[in-house]
């Protein structure tokens, strides 16, 4: 208890965990220092790449039949020696960053019927360790992701279906596409509030005024399917997608 | 996470709670997890480190063929040659090779703090555990000490070669390992901080200059050097030798040096040994 008292005394600012609208997507914790457990050789070019693939796999939410993978910057330049290609494909077939089968991911993709091709590209002033991945699902759905590997195995999804976004894949993330009109933010956040779901970060993006807007909400808790369905039913909400790190 | 080592040492002195426990408390609060959950996650990290060292295969080579077999070669020399170093020191070097080589060969490791520097902490820790007969719980506590140091370095400077050069990777790993080793030797937080300062000072300015941009040359052998430097720094500390510059200020110096470094020696593969005639020849042959 004494320790608790002192920590409270010394570190009052650490206790404030209120929802904020911020650009800082993800706070490091000590398991970013000791960790992650990963397949080598590079946390940015291998583990980060596997994580990007894995986040894409979860964002797709269905079996991926075909994936077009474009490598930018250092990913294109030194990716092969780091196994970036193998790691991205491993993630796309659902392997985690510490799965020892990563070096064999091309064979696993073949077994699972995932057709992929990998090429170099120039994504302009994107982060040097970036990849663009276009996925085609069995239902015919197409999802396009641009993501960057930030170092230490941490990543950032920078674009989703052509809209600029910014999330880390560390927290349950709700992505709401809505008509750019007043009131939708309150609608969404109050629904989450009613469910006792705490918001970690929140970002707003729009293509143009009055057009389509996107809310990216990283949460401390999982958002249950019923809540997501309820959101989808609201007028003016065009689409709700969800990513869970688990 | 903490802004300074000084902050942690002060809490230790005022509360009597050990350094590792203060770091753990902070983790419990930040991630909203129990002490047991935090401890067991860290223990798993230590066990994964041991697996990464013990699953070594001296026959495998990296994709480029530049790395592989060194730990086996060194072990043979230690057993059959006339090494100057004793068994403990030899074991530290061998373990650093085992883990760092495994990383280059796409095996599973624990990034601590990075994949490129993953051999340093396990080498120092496992050799010490073997020598002193310590429990995994004790080793886990020492990992919290290492993590606390690494977290402050991350806050004040950087852990990425692309931002701070190799001093930010091998330098930080060595600093973290030295602090943890002091804890295992019975030192307090101030002594861990002293060892962290000594270790990083020795590696300030180290360039990140990977040949062909790969985490192989000179990275793997620098893990050996970083591990030995950690042992030296911890031993100096236990002998009562003080760093004249406190740890937090050494971290700040590392940050300043990192900012003033030319991009050629910050993980671009354009400078240092990567830009030597042999380095270029290797790059072109891959």
């Amino acid at each position: 208890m004494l320790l608790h008292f002192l920590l409270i005394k010394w570190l009052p600012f650490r206790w404030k965990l209120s929802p904020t609208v911020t650009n800082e997507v993800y706070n490091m914790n000590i398991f970013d220092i000791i960790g992650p457990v990963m397949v080598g050789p590079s946390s940015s070019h291998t583990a980060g790449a596997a994580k990007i693939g894995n986040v894409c796999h979860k964002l797709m939410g269905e079996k991926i039949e075909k994936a077009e993978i474009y490598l930018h910057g250092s990913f294109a330049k030194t990716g092969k020696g780091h196994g970036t290609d193998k790691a991205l494909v491993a993630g796309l077939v659902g392997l985690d960053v510490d799965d020892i089968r990563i070096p064999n991911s091309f064979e696993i993709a073949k077994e699972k019927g995932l057709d992929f091709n990998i090429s170099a590209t120039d994504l302009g002033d994107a982060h040097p360790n970036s990849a663009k991945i276009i996925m085609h699902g069995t239902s015919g759905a197409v999802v396009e992701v641009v993501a960057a590997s930030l170092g230490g195995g941490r990543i950032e999804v920078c674009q989703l279906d052509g809209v600029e976004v910014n999330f880390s894949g560390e927290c349950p993330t709700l992505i709401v596409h809505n008509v750019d009109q007043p009131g939708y933010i309150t609608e969404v956040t109050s629904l989450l509030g009613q469910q006792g779901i705490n918001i970690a970060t929140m970002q707003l993006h729009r293509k143009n005024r009055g057009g389509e807007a996107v809310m990216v909400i990283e949460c401390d808790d999982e958002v249950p399917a019923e809540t997501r369905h309820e959101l989808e039913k609201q007028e003016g909400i065009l689409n709700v997608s969800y990513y869970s790190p688990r | 996470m903490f802004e300074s080592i000084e902050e942690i040492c002060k809490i230790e002195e005022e509360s009597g709670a050990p350094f590792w426990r203060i770091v753990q408390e902070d983790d419990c609060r930040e991630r909203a997890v129990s002490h047991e959950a935090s401890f067991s996650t860290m223990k798993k990290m230590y066990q994964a480190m041991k697996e990464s060292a013990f699953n070594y295969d001296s026959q495998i080579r990296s994709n480029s063929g530049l790395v592989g077999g060194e730990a086996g070669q060194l072990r043979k020399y230690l057993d059959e040659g006339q090494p100057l170093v004793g068994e403990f020191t030899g074991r530290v070097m061998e373990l650093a090779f085992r883990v760092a080589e495994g990383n280059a060969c796409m095996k599973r490791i624990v990034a601590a703090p990075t994949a490129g520097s993953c051999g340093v902490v396990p080498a120092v820790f496992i050799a010490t555990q073997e020598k002193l007969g310590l429990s995994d719980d004790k080793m886990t506590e020492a990992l919290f000490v290492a993590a606390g140091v690494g977290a402050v370095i991350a806050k004040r400077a950087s852990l990425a070669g692309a931002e701070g050069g190799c001093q930010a990777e091998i330098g930080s790993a060595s600093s973290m390992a030295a602090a943890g080793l002091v804890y295992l030797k019975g030192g307090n937080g101030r002594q861990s901080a002293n060892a962290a300062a000594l270790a990083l000072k020795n590696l300030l300015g180290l360039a990140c200059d990977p040949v062909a941009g790969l985490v192989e040359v000179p990275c793997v052998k620098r893990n050996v050097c970083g591990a030995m430097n950690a042992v030296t720094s911890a031993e100096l500390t236990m002998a009562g030798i003080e760093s004249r510059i406190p740890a937090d200020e050494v971290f700040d110096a590392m940050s300043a040096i990192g900012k003033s470094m030319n991009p050629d020696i910050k993980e671009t593969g354009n400078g240092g040994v990567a830009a030597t005639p042999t380095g270029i020849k290797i790059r072109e042959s891959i």
Side-chain angles (χ1 to χ4, degrees):
Chain A
M1 278 324 285
L2 177 64
L3 178 60
H4 259 118
F5 168 73
L6 281 161
L7 286 170
I8 292 166
K9 191 180 146 206
W10 278 91
L11 303 163
F13 59 93
R14 287 176 205 286
W15 290 76
K16 291 176 190 158
L17 285 169
S18 55
T20 45
V21 177
T22 169
N23 283 327
E24 194 175 314
V25 176
Y26 172 59
N27 293 319
M28 278 184 109
N29 68 62
I30 54 168
F31 295 103
D32 295 307
I33 311 291
I34 302 292
V37 179
M38 53 163 276
V39 165
S42 163
S43 55
S44 55
H45 287 64
T46 321
K51 180 85 185 279
I52 288 174
N54 201 283
V55 169
C56 286
H57 164 84
K58 285 174 178 156
L59 281 170
M60 187 74 213
E62 62 177 67
K63 190 176 176 299
I64 307 168
E65 278 190 339
K66 189 176 168 223
E68 298 158 52
I69 302 169
Y70 300 94
L71 304 177
H72 165 83
S74 176
F75 262 17
K77 218 171 133 189
T78 67
K80 205 159 183 72
H82 287 124
T84 304
D85 45 0
K86 289 174 182 169
L88 279 167
V89 171
L92 287 173
V93 296
L95 303 189
D96 285 322
V97 299
D98 64 343
D99 197 307
I100 52 170
R101 294 171 296 172
I102 287 176
N104 310 320
S105 69
F106 288 3
E107 292 81 40
I108 296 170
K110 204 171 175 188
E111 282 163 26
K112 291 199 169 187
L114 166 65
D115 182 22
F116 64 90
N117 55 57
I118 302 171
S119 54
T121 190
D122 184 358
L123 297 173
D125 59 359
H127 185 284
N129 295 330
S130 291
K132 175 174 167 176
I133 301 174
I134 304 171
M135 295 166 284
H136 303 260
T138 39
S139 73
V142 179
V143 174
E144 185 184 313
V145 174
V146 176
S149 175
L150 304 178
R154 289 174 302 125
I155 68 146
E156 179 182 285
V157 176
C158 316
Q159 256 188 46
L160 182 61
D161 294 328
V163 180
E164 302 281 329
V165 295
N166 179 357
F167 64 95
S168 66
E170 294 298 329
C171 326
T173 306
L174 191 66
I175 302 143
V176 181
H177 294 250
N178 59 282
V179 179
D180 182 33
Q181 277 168 9
Y184 290 116
I185 296 170
T186 320
E187 202 172 282
V188 173
T189 54
S190 63
L191 189 62
L192 292 177
Q194 282 161 25
Q195 303 287 326
I197 297 163
N198 193 43
I199 294 172
T201 75
M202 177 165 178
Q203 306 137 40
L204 308 169
H205 311 268
R206 68 177 179 191
K207 281 180 176 163
N208 52 324
R209 187 170 178 170
E212 186 183 328
V214 181
M215 276 177 248
V216 178
I217 305 169
E218 290 185 299
C219 305
D220 289 333
D221 317 282
E222 293 285 348
V223 182
E226 309 85 70
T227 311
R228 278 147 33 206
H229 293 321
E230 203 168 318
L231 271 177
E232 270 171 345
K233 279 188 261 164
Q234 313 281 330
E235 199 187 325
I237 297 211
L238 307 170
N239 177 22
V240 176
S241 48
Y242 184 62
Y243 163 83
S244 167
R246 276 175 274 278
Chain B
M1 296 195 299
F2 292 93
E3 306 282 333
S4 70
I5 295 288
E6 185 58 29
E7 196 182 344
I8 308 175
C9 288
K10 276 205 176 128
I11 298 173
E12 178 179 274
E13 282 156 7
E14 290 183 20
S15 69
F19 192 109
W20 76 266
R21 186 75 186 196
I22 298 163
V23 175
Q24 190 205 23
E25 286 276 351
D26 190 49
D27 176 52
C28 293
R29 197 171 40 253
E30 288 211 351
R31 297 190 302 122
V33 296
S34 66
H35 287 136
E36 293 72 28
S38 169
F39 197 86
S40 85
T41 307
M42 193 61 94
K43 196 168 174 177
K44 279 189 198 132
M45 293 296 151
Y46 186 61
Q47 285 160 347
M49 282 181 180
K50 286 207 287 191
E51 275 176 36
S52 70
F54 298 156
N55 290 343
Y56 175 72
D57 177 355
S58 66
Q59 298 307 311
I60 54 164
R61 299 292 177 267
S62 63
N63 285 337
S64 69
L66 291 170
V67 162
E70 286 88 352
Q73 258 178 293
L74 179 66
R75 176 41 60 194
K76 194 165 186 299
Y77 168 72
L78 292 169
D79 288 342
E80 298 167 19
Q82 275 109 39
L84 290 170
V85 298
E87 179 51 33
F88 173 76
T89 313
R91 182 69 170 150
V92 170
M93 293 194 280
E94 180 199 2
L95 286 164
F97 263 135
R98 280 174 164 252
V99 179
E101 276 180 56
N103 178 58
C105 300
M106 291 193 89
K107 298 294 178 193
R108 183 161 52 201
I109 54 91
V110 183
T114 60
S117 60
C118 67
V120 176
V121 173
V124 173
F125 275 42
I126 297 168
T128 305
Q129 181 177 33
E130 289 171 350
K131 168 123 179 154
L132 302 180
L134 303 169
S135 68
D136 277 7
D137 280 359
K138 185 78 181 173
M139 302 311 294
T140 304
E141 293 171 12
L143 263 191
F144 276 106
V145 174
V149 169
V152 173
I153 299 176
K155 281 258 175 185
R156 298 181 85 98
S158 169
L159 299 173
E163 273 182 275
C166 191
Q167 55 167 1
E169 298 210 17
I170 294 290
S172 300
S174 191
S175 188
M176 290 159 60
L181 178 50
V182 163
Y183 173 73
L184 294 172
K185 287 278 288 170
N188 62 22
R190 288 262 171 230
Q191 288 170 300
S192 283
N194 188 75
L198 288 175
L200 187 56
K201 271 196 306 184
N202 294 341
L203 297 173
L204 284 180
L206 195 61
C208 178
D209 47 358
V211 170
L214 303 176
V215 193
E216 302 192 15
V217 178
C219 322
V220 170
K221 295 181 188 100
R222 277 201 193 143
N223 274 269
V224 179
C225 157
M228 290 306 302
N229 178 56
V231 173
T232 306
S233 304
E235 289 286 63
L236 293 187
T237 300
M238 296 317 288
I241 296 164
E242 281 184 24
S243 172
R244 302 293 180 208
I245 312 293
D248 293 320
E249 293 180 37
V250 176
F251 302 160
D252 294 345
M254 192 258 264
S255 170
I257 294 169
K259 285 183 183 128
S260 68
M261 274 181 167
N262 190 298
D264 284 353
I265 49 170
K266 290 201 273 193
E267 214 181 319
T268 52
N270 294 331
V273 295
T276 57
T278 305
I280 293 166
K281 208 190 285 174
I282 292 172
R283 187 183 67 208
E284 284 165 356
S285 69
I286 292 173

